[in-house]
């Protein structure tokens, strides 16, 4: 095994230790492999992750920029390298910050939008004429705000969801297909309980005799089922701003409008919505700017949304969700939230001209 191959294997090991979905780990390995190939072309073969230096990363970023890489893809490359190096004890994120390098920032606004009711009805009609299994996936994505993978794998959870709704519990656990294997709980829209129950009942009847699989691929595995579903989506009016992700946008807008109509404070609305969509409480700013851009006028013009926002723990005055029940975001015992202390400095080795220099990161 050559030196560069050993370096790529080391990066793959760091990526596995960092965790994440299989796709995320795969992309990290690919990005590091391209970086390693680039450094070899300029005369520096990396045998380990720790041999990378700041100037190599900066040169690689400018190499990608010169190749007309889009800001979003460039950000993904830098994030992959940062994760791998972080696991190896390096912190070189400062050397490739967009602000320092004056790079163009990615624009995440306006790519998707919520569907109107007529657009949703037209989509269902087209899907029914194409493939009945796709109809059930589309309805579940729209009424529960599911990702495509979550809707594809939710067959065995349908009956449990129906029982919970009939018992009056509108918070449904998403345990199969969740991003990065992080279980979450979505919420049935209070104004659309009947539509949601109808969609779940129809899906149960459809997949009960199919081993509770809504879509089956040619090789009887998840990968082929996902490929088949994607090919069906491409044949439907599900492109660009009205791609499959627009169904989650539709759910998000309906959830936010219902919560605001109930008089829930705007910050709490965004916190709850971030939780229901599976993004966690720290992504409220993104939820406002991306998922709720169509109803931005309903939120205050100036709203304090720090990127590290953490919702308050449960107090005597409980915040209510759109179902009218206490918000499940709050933790039960009323204890003050624990704050994560400052990390102790980690030492890592960086090679400059063959000499080892010890640095400390915080």
């Amino acid at each position: 095994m050559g030196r560069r191959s050993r370096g790529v294997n080391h990066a793959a090991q760091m990526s596995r230790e960092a965790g994440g979905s299989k796709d995320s780990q795969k992309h990290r390995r690919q990005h590091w492999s391209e970086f390693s190939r680039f450094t070899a072309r300029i005369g520096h073969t990396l045998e380990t992750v720790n041999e990378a230096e700041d100037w190599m990363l900066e040169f690689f970023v400018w190499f990608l920029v010169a190749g007309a890489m889009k800001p979003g893809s460039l950000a993904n490359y830098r994030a992959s390298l940062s994760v791998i190096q972080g696991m190896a004890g390096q912190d070189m994120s400062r050397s490739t910050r967009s602000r320092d390098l004056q790079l163009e920032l990615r624009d995440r606004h306006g790519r998707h939008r919520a569907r109107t009711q007529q657009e949703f009805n037209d989509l269902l009609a087209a899907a029914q004429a194409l493939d009945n299994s796709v109809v059930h996936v589309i309805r579940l994505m729209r009424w529960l705000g599911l990702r495509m993978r979550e809707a594809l794998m939710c067959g065995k959870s349908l009956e449990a969801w129906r029982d919970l709704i009939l018992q009056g519990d509108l918070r449904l656990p998403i345990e199969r297909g969740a991003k990065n294997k992080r279980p979450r709980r979505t919420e049935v829209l209070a104004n659309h309980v009947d539509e949601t129950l109808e969609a779940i009942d129809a899906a149960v009847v459809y997949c009960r005799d199919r081993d509770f699989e809504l879509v089956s691929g040619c090789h009887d595995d998840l990968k082929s089922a996902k490929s088949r579903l994607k090919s069906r989506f491409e044949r439907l009016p599900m492109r660009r701003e009205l791609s499959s992700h627009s169904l989650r946008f539709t759910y998000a807008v309906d959830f936010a409008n219902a919560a605001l109509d109930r008089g829930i404070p705007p910050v709490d609305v965004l916190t709850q919505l971030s939780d229901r969509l599976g993004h966690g409480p720290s992504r409220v700013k993104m939820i406002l700017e991306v998922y709720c851009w169509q109803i931005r006028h309903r939120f205050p013009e100036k709203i304090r949304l720090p990127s590290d926002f953490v919702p308050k723990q449960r107090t005597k005055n409980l915040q209510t969700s759109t179902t009218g029940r206490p918000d499940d975001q709050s933790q039960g015992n009323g204890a003050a939230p624990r704050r994560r202390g400052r990390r102790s400095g980690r030492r890592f080795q960086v090679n400059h001209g063959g000499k080892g220099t010890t640095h400390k990161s915080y």
Side-chain angles (χ1 to χ4, degrees):
M1 182 182 295
R3 291 188 63 196
R4 198 176 76 83
S5 296
R6 286 195 290 270
V8 173
N9 284 343
H10 185 212
Q13 179 185 349
M14 297 296 100
S15 179
R16 287 193 296 270
E17 292 181 7
S21 66
K22 291 184 177 179
D23 287 341
S24 296
Q25 296 184 36
K26 173 185 174 182
H27 294 155
R28 289 191 209 121
R29 292 194 300 269
Q30 291 175 342
H31 295 164
W32 183 270
S33 182
E34 291 187 39
F35 171 61
S36 177
R37 189 180 300 113
F38 169 80
T39 59
R41 289 172 60 185
I42 61 177
H44 295 269
T45 303
L46 303 179
E47 190 170 3
T48 65
V49 171
N50 306 77
E51 293 180 0
E53 300 185 26
D54 289 14
W55 67 270
M56 297 178 186
L57 290 172
E58 185 174 346
F59 276 30
F60 182 59
V61 169
W62 287 120
F63 172 74
L64 297 177
V65 172
M69 179 172 284
K70 295 181 179 180
S73 299
L74 183 60
N76 292 335
Y77 271 75
R78 290 155 56 205
S80 295
L81 300 183
S82 177
V83 168
I84 290 174
Q85 291 177 303
M87 292 303 300
Q90 288 181 310
D91 182 10
M92 296 187 181
S93 57
R94 294 183 179 181
S95 63
T96 58
R97 287 190 300 189
S98 299
R99 182 176 301 175
D100 294 342
L101 299 180
Q102 298 182 354
L103 298 174
E104 180 185 358
L105 300 178
R106 73 169 114 188
D107 182 10
R108 303 183 65 174
H109 305 281
R111 184 174 179 181
H112 299 96
R113 66 172 176 85
R115 289 176 177 265
T116 65
Q117 186 60 44
Q118 185 58 49
E119 288 172 337
F120 180 64
N121 293 339
D122 293 342
L123 175 62
L124 286 180
Q128 194 165 12
L130 176 64
D131 189 335
N132 199 34
S133 64
V134 181
V135 176
H136 302 295
V137 173
I138 290 175
R139 295 174 73 184
L140 292 171
M141 290 178 68
R142 189 264 179 267
W143 295 120
L144 293 175
L146 303 181
R147 298 181 176 95
M148 181 177 68
R149 183 184 178 92
E150 293 171 342
L152 186 63
M153 299 178 63
C154 74
K156 295 181 180 180
S157 301
L158 292 172
E159 292 183 331
W161 289 353
R162 180 180 59 189
D163 293 341
L164 285 173
I165 296 175
L166 292 177
Q167 294 170 10
D169 189 354
L170 301 186
R171 295 298 305 279
L172 309 181
I174 309 296
E175 300 174 344
R176 296 178 174 84
K179 189 174 182 178
N180 292 332
K181 298 182 180 180
R182 294 192 303 262
R184 66 183 179 92
R185 290 199 299 168
T186 187
E187 180 174 342
V188 178
L189 298 171
N191 297 333
H192 299 285
V193 176
D194 292 339
E195 293 93 329
T196 306
L197 263 178
E198 182 181 350
I200 292 176
D201 285 338
V204 169
V205 172
Y206 177 82
C207 68
R208 180 177 287 141
D209 298 330
R210 295 174 171 82
D211 196 24
F212 289 95
E213 292 183 357
L214 291 172
V215 178
S216 300
C218 57
H219 297 299
D220 195 27
D221 59 4
L222 179 61
K223 183 177 180 180
S224 61
K226 188 176 180 180
S227 297
R228 180 180 180 183
L229 181 59
K230 284 185 175 181
S231 68
R232 295 294 189 270
F233 282 171
E234 290 174 357
R235 296 171 62 181
L236 293 170
M238 300 181 72
R239 302 181 186 89
R240 297 180 180 178
E241 72 274 6
L242 289 179
S243 68
S244 61
H245 211 58
S246 68
L247 299 171
R248 269 168 64 86
F249 275 67
T250 309
Y251 170 90
V253 169
D254 284 355
F255 182 98
N257 278 328
L260 291 171
D261 291 342
R262 292 178 58 86
I264 299 177
V267 173
D268 292 343
V269 171
L270 296 172
T271 305
Q272 292 178 23
L273 179 55
S274 183
D275 173 66
R276 291 359 176 221
L277 292 175
H279 287 290
S282 64
R283 304 298 300 278
V284 290
K285 185 175 182 180
M286 183 274 290
I287 295 296
L288 175 63
E289 296 177 348
V290 178
Y291 283 93
C292 295
W293 68 269
Q294 290 176 268
I295 56 172
R296 182 64 177 83
H297 60 279
R298 297 206 62 186
F299 293 87
E301 183 177 352
K302 294 183 179 180
I303 181 171
R304 183 175 179 273
L305 293 175
S307 59
D308 58 347
F309 176 82
V310 178
K312 294 181 179 179
Q313 296 290 328
R314 179 177 299 213
T315 60
K316 292 182 179 180
N317 297 323
L318 296 175
Q319 297 292 342
T320 56
S321 66
T322 55
T323 62
R325 302 169 59 241
D327 182 18
D328 300 79
Q329 278 282 102
S330 304
Q331 303 299 324
N333 57 9
R338 293 183 299 176
R339 296 186 179 274
R340 182 174 297 176
R342 193 176 188 180
R343 288 186 177 181
S344 59
R346 293 185 300 175
R347 295 186 178 275
F348 57 88
Q349 195 79 12
V350 182
N351 295 324
H352 295 287
K355 297 182 179 180
T357 305
T358 302
H359 297 268
K360 195 172 184 179
S361 63
Y362 296 92

